């Protein structure tokens, strides 16, 4: 029987895991390097989340490992070439939280544009004054969606409901959202320069590293809002900070950070 290890497992989830896999071992830690090797060396199947990095060095020291299951959409924390060379299969969850993340984009936008947190802070101190809290409407604004996978398409559907003009960029266009939602595919450069809101839904690859950099930000509309719920290294953090401090950008709404 295969020996199974779940890492980065919240205690409240461990019960459900053991109902499905009674013999599985669940640990809540995110481990790396020597600690990850020590934890996994006797297991055939390992399930992880975001923060366990299976580098070539780690993989080469795990001769018993046959399967890595990452409970994420992305898999840039796993050296796929090394896994293939050592006969280790890798699986991921391409539909992980797609609708939830699409909704989260608008949770951040609405909270920021309508000053929800600042208003709540005033209320808790007894200040019932709306001055300085006048918000921004989404209707009529242009949203640029970089990446129209499941999450990006979900963002387009919600944006359509708000009456936004929708631009999109992807290497592979989706005719359905063009016909049904009026999405207009443009180049990445056009998307960045024409959008009031830019929402990133690209994978982390060598070609997308710092796809939002100083040059791109300088070409964006003044007052642009940038939303990133994808991968932190899509954005040159220093360049974004400089753009925000210099007044070029309105807001940076980041669910992920570069590290």
């Amino acid at each position: 029987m295969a020996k199974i290890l779940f890492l980065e497992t919240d205690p409240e989830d461990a019960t459900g895991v053991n109902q499905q896999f009674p013999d599985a071992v669940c640990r809540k830690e995110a481990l790396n390097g020597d600690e990850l090797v020590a934890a996994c060396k006797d297991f055939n199947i390992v399930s992880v989340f975001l923060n366990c990095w299976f580098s070539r060095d780690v993989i080469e020291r795990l001769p018993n490992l046959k399967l890595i299951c990452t409970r994420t959409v992305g898999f840039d924390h796993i050296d796929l070439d090394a896994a293939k060379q050592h006969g280790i299969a890798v699986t991921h969850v391409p539909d992980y939280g797609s609708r939830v993340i699409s909704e989260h984009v608008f949770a951040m936008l609405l909270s920021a544009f309508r000053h929800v947190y600042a208003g709540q802070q005033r209320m808790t101190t007894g200040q019932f004054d709306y001055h300085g809290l006048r918000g921004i409407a989404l209707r009529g604004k242009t949203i640029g969606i970089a990446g129209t996978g499941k999450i990006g398409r979900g963002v387009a559907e919600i944006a359509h409901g708000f009456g936004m003009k929708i631009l999109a960029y992807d290497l592979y266009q989706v005719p359905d959202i063009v016909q049904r939602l009026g999405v207009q595919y443009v180049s990445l450069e056009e998307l960045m320069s024409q959008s009031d809101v830019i929402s990133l839904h690209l994978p982390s690859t060598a070609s997308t590293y710092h796809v939002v950099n100083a040059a791109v930000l300088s070409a964006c509309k003044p007052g642009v809002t940038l939303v990133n719920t994808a991968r932190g290294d899509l954005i040159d953090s220093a360049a974004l900070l400089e753009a925000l401090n210099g007044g070029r950008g309105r807001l940076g709404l980041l669910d992920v950070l570069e590290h």
Side-chain angles (χ1 to χ4, degrees):
M1 180 180 294
K3 298 184 68 175
I4 305 172
L5 172 66
F6 279 75
L7 293 173
E8 301 179 88
T9 307
D10 292 335
E12 59 267 29
D13 295 328
T15 300
V17 170
N18 287 129
Q19 286 175 350
Q20 293 293 320
F21 306 101
D23 297 321
V25 175
C26 294
R27 296 178 60 170
K28 65 180 181 180
E29 311 101 303
L31 303 174
N32 284 290
D34 292 342
E35 290 183 331
L36 181 58
V37 172
C40 299
K41 63 184 177 64
D42 296 324
F43 290 89
N44 312 115
I45 300 171
V46 178
S47 175
V48 297
F49 196 50
L50 283 171
N51 297 307
C52 292
W53 289 78
F54 280 83
S55 64
R56 176 174 292 276
D57 174 66
V58 167
I59 287 171
E60 288 178 345
R61 291 192 280 160
L62 295 173
N64 295 316
L65 189 59
K66 301 301 178 185
L67 174 64
I68 302 171
C69 306
T70 179
R71 306 186 300 276
T72 58
V73 177
F75 38 79
D76 48 296
H77 51 303
I78 301 169
D79 189 323
L80 297 182
D81 289 336
K84 183 177 181 179
Q85 290 168 13
H86 288 78
I88 300 170
V90 178
T91 64
H92 69 136
V93 188
D95 197 32
Y96 172 81
S98 57
R99 189 65 190 184
V100 174
I101 297 170
S102 300
E103 292 177 2
H104 186 54
V105 169
F106 284 87
M108 291 195 292
L109 279 172
L110 291 170
S111 179
F113 279 12
R114 306 303 300 181
H115 305 293
V116 171
Y117 179 73
Q120 189 268 343
Q121 291 295 99
R122 285 191 188 183
M123 286 187 62
T124 59
T125 57
Q127 300 178 57
F128 296 91
D129 180 9
Y130 70 88
H131 289 91
L133 299 179
R134 188 168 296 170
I136 301 169
L138 292 177
R139 184 177 181 83
K141 297 290 189 298
T142 298
I143 184 169
I145 302 170
T148 51
K150 291 185 177 181
I151 297 171
R153 295 197 297 272
V155 170
E157 289 179 349
I158 299 171
H160 181 71
F162 275 103
M164 303 181 79
K165 178 182 178 182
I166 308 168
L167 303 180
Y169 165 79
D170 201 295
L171 294 177
Y172 304 97
Q173 298 185 9
V174 183
D176 171 66
I177 61 174
V178 174
Q179 299 162 6
R180 185 165 53 88
L181 305 175
V183 171
Q184 179 185 354
Y185 276 94
V186 296
S187 69
L188 189 59
E189 292 75 15
E190 289 177 280
L191 182 145
M192 295 292 182
S193 65
Q194 296 178 21
S195 301
D196 301 299
V197 175
I198 297 168
S199 191
L200 301 179
H201 304 285
L202 298 168
S204 175
T205 66
S207 63
T208 61
Y209 178 76
H210 284 184
V211 69
V212 178
N213 51 42
V216 167
L217 289 166
S218 67
C220 287
K221 273 187 175 181
V224 68
T225 291
L226 182 65
V227 185
N228 189 9
T229 56
R231 287 291 184 268
D233 63 7
L234 298 178
I235 300 174
D236 182 335
S237 302
L240 175 60
L241 186 60
E242 183 176 348
L244 293 172
N245 288 337
R248 183 75 189 178
R250 181 189 301 276
L251 293 165
L253 306 177
L254 310 179
D255 185 56
V256 289
L257 296 172
E258 185 177 20
H259 60 81

